Amino acid sequence: MLALLTSRWAEYAAGLPLTDSLYLLVFGLGYYAVRRGPNGSWALAAALLMGPLAKESFVFLLPWLFWFGHKTLSWPKQLLAIAVGMVALLAVHHLVDSRIAAPATQSVSNAVAHFGNITYSLGRAASPKGIGELLSIFGLFTLIVPIALWLEKRNNQAASISIYASLGWAEVGLLAVVAVHMLLSGDLGRMGYLAAPAFCSALALAFTYWRRLLRV
């Protein structure tokens, strides 16, 4: 929680009227639901309901929720939840567009325009400034995860990956989804903060290992 709340992007998301705030909640609920299993079905349903309203790029998170969340909530129920979310999205768009007299296709064209950011994002990520921006998402906490794994290997533990044995393809998939958001946005740090659920889980496991090591 300390790593999560001391990030520069925590204040940014909480203090400004951005859709990112709701989208961060969707990511958190989705990851919690996948890891919680059937007891987290309510969280997955909430993520599917709010996701379409939160951001157009939810379309990239949706396959991850469907695939890794099928043990939490059956696919028919997931489809029902996303259908309700889409109805809510259409209703909100109709209300807003009619109030400001905007064409219904404007939001779609704005979303498609983000594909032009991919080249810029790749170049930025390869620059010293971009690397610094990535490392600034969680600050020095970023170094703890790889250092913990290195220390475990150095101490010749029986299972060199036991620290993160409880993590798997769900986390890899979520990081891939976040990477897509980063490329499309061009704002590497802000979108990288979406990886907080998976990163903080790995961080918690690293601290657990260190505590066990110090006891020994």
Coordinates of all heavy atoms in Angstrom, one line a residue, residues 62-101:
L62 N -10.6 -6.2 -21.7 CA -11.8 -7.2 -21.7 C -11.4 -8.6 -22.0 O -11.9 -9.5 -21.3 CB -12.8 -6.7 -22.7 CG -14.2 -7.4 -22.8 CD1 -14.8 -7.3 -21.4 CD2 -15.1 -6.8 -23.8
P63 N -10.6 -8.9 -23.0 CA -10.2 -10.3 -23.3 C -9.5 -10.9 -22.0 O -9.7 -12.1 -21.7 CB -9.3 -10.2 -24.5 CG -9.6 -9.0 -25.2 CD -10.0 -8.0 -24.1
W64 N -8.7 -10.1 -21.4 CA -8.0 -10.6 -20.2 C -9.0 -11.0 -19.1 O -8.8 -12.0 -18.4 CB -7.0 -9.5 -19.6 CG -6.2 -10.0 -18.5 CD1 -5.0 -10.6 -18.5 CD2 -6.5 -9.8 -17.1 NE1 -4.5 -10.8 -17.2 CE2 -5.4 -10.3 -16.3 CE3 -7.5 -9.2 -16.4 CZ2 -5.4 -10.3 -14.9 CZ3 -7.5 -9.2 -15.0 CH2 -6.5 -9.8 -14.3
L65 N -10.0 -10.2 -18.9 CA -11.0 -10.4 -17.9 C -11.8 -11.7 -18.3 O -12.1 -12.5 -17.4 CB -12.0 -9.3 -17.8 CG -11.4 -8.0 -17.1 CD1 -12.4 -6.8 -17.2 CD2 -11.0 -8.2 -15.7
F66 N -12.2 -11.8 -19.5 CA -12.9 -13.0 -20.0 C -12.1 -14.3 -19.8 O -12.6 -15.3 -19.3 CB -13.3 -12.9 -21.4 CG -14.5 -12.1 -21.7 CD1 -14.8 -11.4 -22.9 CD2 -15.5 -12.0 -20.7 CE1 -15.9 -10.7 -23.1 CE2 -16.7 -11.3 -20.9 CZ -16.9 -10.6 -22.1
W67 N -10.8 -14.3 -20.1 CA -10.0 -15.5 -20.1 C -9.7 -15.9 -18.7 O -9.9 -17.0 -18.3 CB -8.8 -15.3 -21.0 CG -8.0 -16.6 -21.0 CD1 -6.8 -16.8 -20.3 CD2 -8.3 -17.8 -21.7 NE1 -6.3 -18.1 -20.6 CE2 -7.2 -18.7 -21.4 CE3 -9.3 -18.1 -22.6 CZ2 -7.2 -19.9 -22.0 CZ3 -9.3 -19.4 -23.1 CH2 -8.2 -20.3 -22.8
F68 N -9.1 -15.0 -17.9 CA -8.6 -15.3 -16.6 C -9.7 -15.2 -15.6 O -9.5 -15.7 -14.4 CB -7.5 -14.4 -16.2 CG -6.2 -14.6 -17.0 CD1 -5.8 -13.8 -18.0 CD2 -5.4 -15.8 -16.7 CE1 -4.7 -14.0 -18.8 CE2 -4.3 -16.0 -17.5 CZ -3.9 -15.1 -18.5
G69 N -10.9 -14.7 -15.9 CA -11.9 -14.5 -15.0 C -13.0 -15.6 -15.1 O -14.0 -15.6 -14.4
H70 N -12.8 -16.6 -16.0 CA -13.9 -17.5 -16.3 C -14.1 -18.5 -15.1 O -15.2 -19.0 -14.9 CB -13.7 -18.3 -17.6 CG -12.6 -19.3 -17.5 ND1 -11.2 -19.0 -17.6 CD2 -12.6 -20.7 -17.2 CE1 -10.5 -20.1 -17.5 NE2 -11.3 -21.1 -17.2
K71 N -13.1 -18.6 -14.3 CA -13.3 -19.5 -13.1 C -13.9 -18.7 -11.9 O -14.4 -19.3 -11.0 CB -11.9 -20.0 -12.6 CG -11.3 -21.0 -13.6 CD -10.0 -21.6 -13.1 CE -9.4 -22.6 -14.0 NZ -8.1 -23.2 -13.5
T72 N -13.9 -17.4 -12.1 CA -14.5 -16.5 -11.1 C -16.0 -16.3 -11.4 O -16.8 -16.3 -10.5 CB -13.8 -15.1 -11.0 OG1 -12.4 -15.4 -10.7 CG2 -14.4 -14.2 -10.0
L73 N -16.3 -16.0 -12.6 CA -17.6 -15.8 -13.1 C -17.8 -16.4 -14.4 O -16.9 -16.2 -15.3 CB -17.9 -14.3 -13.1 CG -19.3 -13.8 -13.3 CD1 -20.2 -14.1 -12.1 CD2 -19.3 -12.3 -13.6
S74 N -18.8 -17.2 -14.6 CA -19.0 -18.0 -15.9 C -19.1 -17.0 -17.0 O -19.6 -15.9 -16.9 CB -20.2 -18.9 -15.8 OG -21.4 -18.1 -15.6
W75 N -18.8 -17.5 -18.2 CA -18.8 -16.6 -19.4 C -20.2 -16.1 -19.7 O -20.4 -14.9 -20.0 CB -18.3 -17.4 -20.6 CG -16.8 -17.4 -20.6 CD1 -16.0 -16.4 -20.2 CD2 -15.9 -18.4 -21.1 NE1 -14.6 -16.7 -20.4 CE2 -14.6 -17.9 -20.9 CE3 -16.1 -19.6 -21.7 CZ2 -13.5 -18.7 -21.3 CZ3 -15.0 -20.4 -22.1 CH2 -13.7 -19.9 -21.9
P76 N -21.3 -16.8 -19.5 CA -22.6 -16.2 -19.8 C -22.9 -15.1 -18.8 O -23.5 -14.1 -19.2 CB -23.6 -17.4 -19.5 CG -22.8 -18.6 -19.8 CD -21.4 -18.3 -19.3
K77 N -22.5 -15.2 -17.6 CA -22.7 -14.1 -16.6 C -21.8 -12.9 -16.9 O -22.2 -11.8 -16.8 CB -22.5 -14.6 -15.2 CG -23.5 -15.6 -14.7 CD -23.3 -16.0 -13.3 CE -24.3 -17.0 -12.8 NZ -24.1 -17.5 -11.4
Q78 N -20.6 -13.2 -17.4 CA -19.7 -12.1 -17.8 C -20.3 -11.4 -19.0 O -20.3 -10.1 -19.1 CB -18.3 -12.7 -18.2 CG -17.5 -13.1 -17.0 CD -16.0 -13.4 -17.5 OE1 -15.4 -12.5 -18.0 NE2 -15.5 -14.5 -17.2
L79 N -20.9 -12.1 -20.0 CA -21.5 -11.5 -21.1 C -22.7 -10.6 -20.7 O -22.9 -9.5 -21.3 CB -21.9 -12.5 -22.2 CG -20.8 -13.3 -22.9 CD1 -21.3 -14.4 -23.7 CD2 -20.0 -12.3 -23.7
L80 N -23.4 -11.1 -19.8 CA -24.6 -10.3 -19.3 C -24.1 -9.0 -18.6 O -24.7 -7.9 -18.9 CB -25.4 -11.1 -18.3 CG -26.6 -10.4 -17.6 CD1 -27.6 -10.0 -18.7 CD2 -27.2 -11.3 -16.6
A81 N -23.0 -9.1 -17.8 CA -22.5 -7.9 -17.2 C -22.0 -6.9 -18.2 O -22.2 -5.7 -18.1 CB -21.4 -8.3 -16.2
I82 N -21.2 -7.4 -19.2 CA -20.7 -6.5 -20.2 C -21.8 -5.9 -21.0 O -21.7 -4.7 -21.5 CB -19.6 -7.1 -21.0 CG1 -18.8 -6.1 -21.9 CG2 -20.2 -8.2 -22.0 CD1 -18.1 -5.1 -21.1
A83 N -22.9 -6.6 -21.3 CA -24.0 -6.1 -22.0 C -24.7 -5.0 -21.3 O -25.0 -3.9 -21.9 CB -25.0 -7.2 -22.3
V84 N -24.8 -5.1 -20.0 CA -25.4 -4.0 -19.2 C -24.5 -2.8 -19.2 O -24.9 -1.7 -19.3 CB -25.7 -4.5 -17.8 CG1 -26.2 -3.3 -16.9 CG2 -26.7 -5.6 -17.7
G85 N -23.2 -3.1 -19.1 CA -22.2 -2.0 -19.2 C -22.3 -1.2 -20.5 O -22.1 0.0 -20.6
M86 N -22.4 -2.0 -21.6 CA -22.5 -1.3 -22.9 C -23.8 -0.5 -23.1 O -23.8 0.6 -23.7 CB -22.4 -2.4 -24.0 CG -21.1 -3.1 -24.2 SD -19.8 -1.9 -24.5 CE -20.3 -1.3 -26.1
V87 N -24.9 -1.0 -22.5 CA -26.1 -0.2 -22.6 C -25.9 1.1 -21.8 O -26.4 2.1 -22.3 CB -27.3 -1.1 -22.0 CG1 -28.5 -0.2 -21.8 CG2 -27.6 -2.2 -22.9
A88 N -25.3 1.0 -20.7 CA -25.0 2.2 -19.9 C -24.1 3.2 -20.6 O -24.3 4.4 -20.6 CB -24.4 1.8 -18.5
L89 N -23.1 2.6 -21.3 CA -22.2 3.5 -22.1 C -23.0 4.2 -23.2 O -22.8 5.4 -23.4 CB -21.1 2.6 -22.7 CG -20.2 3.3 -23.7 CD1 -19.4 4.4 -23.0 CD2 -19.3 2.3 -24.4
L90 N -23.8 3.5 -24.0 CA -24.6 4.1 -25.0 C -25.5 5.2 -24.5 O -25.7 6.2 -25.1 CB -25.4 3.0 -25.8 CG -24.5 2.0 -26.6 CD1 -25.4 0.9 -27.2 CD2 -23.7 2.7 -27.7
A91 N -26.1 4.9 -23.4 CA -27.1 5.9 -22.8 C -26.3 7.1 -22.4 O -26.8 8.3 -22.6 CB -27.8 5.3 -21.6
V92 N -25.1 7.0 -21.7 CA -24.4 8.1 -21.3 C -23.9 8.9 -22.5 O -23.9 10.2 -22.6 CB -23.2 7.7 -20.4 CG1 -22.2 8.9 -20.2 CG2 -23.7 7.2 -19.1
H93 N -23.4 8.2 -23.6 CA -22.9 8.9 -24.8 C -24.0 9.7 -25.4 O -23.8 10.8 -25.9 CB -22.3 7.9 -25.7 CG -20.8 7.7 -25.6 ND1 -19.9 8.7 -26.0 CD2 -20.1 6.7 -25.0 CE1 -18.7 8.3 -25.7 NE2 -18.7 7.1 -25.1
H94 N -25.2 9.1 -25.5 CA -26.3 9.7 -26.1 C -26.7 11.0 -25.3 O -26.9 12.1 -25.9 CB -27.5 8.8 -26.2 CG -28.7 9.5 -26.7 ND1 -28.9 9.8 -28.0 CD2 -29.9 9.9 -26.0 CE1 -30.1 10.4 -28.2 NE2 -30.7 10.4 -27.0
L95 N -26.7 10.9 -24.0 CA -27.0 12.1 -23.2 C -26.0 13.2 -23.3 O -26.3 14.3 -23.6 CB -27.1 11.6 -21.7 CG -27.4 12.7 -20.7 CD1 -28.8 13.4 -21.0 CD2 -27.3 12.2 -19.3
V96 N -24.7 12.8 -23.3 CA -23.7 13.8 -23.4 C -23.6 14.5 -24.8 O -23.5 15.7 -24.9 CB -22.3 13.2 -23.0 CG1 -21.2 14.2 -23.3 CG2 -22.3 12.8 -21.5
D97 N -23.6 13.6 -25.8 CA -23.6 14.1 -27.2 C -24.7 15.0 -27.5 O -24.6 16.0 -28.2 CB -23.5 12.9 -28.2 CG -22.2 12.2 -28.1 OD1 -21.3 12.7 -27.5 OD2 -22.2 11.0 -28.5
S98 N -25.9 14.7 -27.0 CA -27.1 15.5 -27.3 C -27.0 16.9 -26.5 O -27.5 17.9 -27.0 CB -28.4 14.8 -26.8 OG -28.4 14.5 -25.5
R99 N -26.4 16.9 -25.4 CA -26.2 18.1 -24.6 C -25.2 19.1 -25.2 O -25.4 20.3 -25.2 CB -25.8 17.8 -23.2 CG -26.8 17.0 -22.3 CD -27.9 17.9 -21.9 NE -28.8 17.2 -21.0 CZ -29.8 17.8 -20.4 NH1 -30.0 19.1 -20.5 NH2 -30.7 17.1 -19.6
I100 N -24.1 18.5 -25.8 CA -23.1 19.4 -26.3 C -23.1 19.5 -27.8 O -22.2 20.1 -28.5 CB -21.7 18.9 -25.8 CG1 -21.4 17.5 -26.4 CG2 -21.6 18.9 -24.3 CD1 -20.0 17.1 -26.1
A101 N -24.1 18.8 -28.4 CA -24.3 18.8 -29.9 C -23.1 18.3 -30.6 O -22.6 18.8 -31.6 CB -24.7 20.2 -30.4

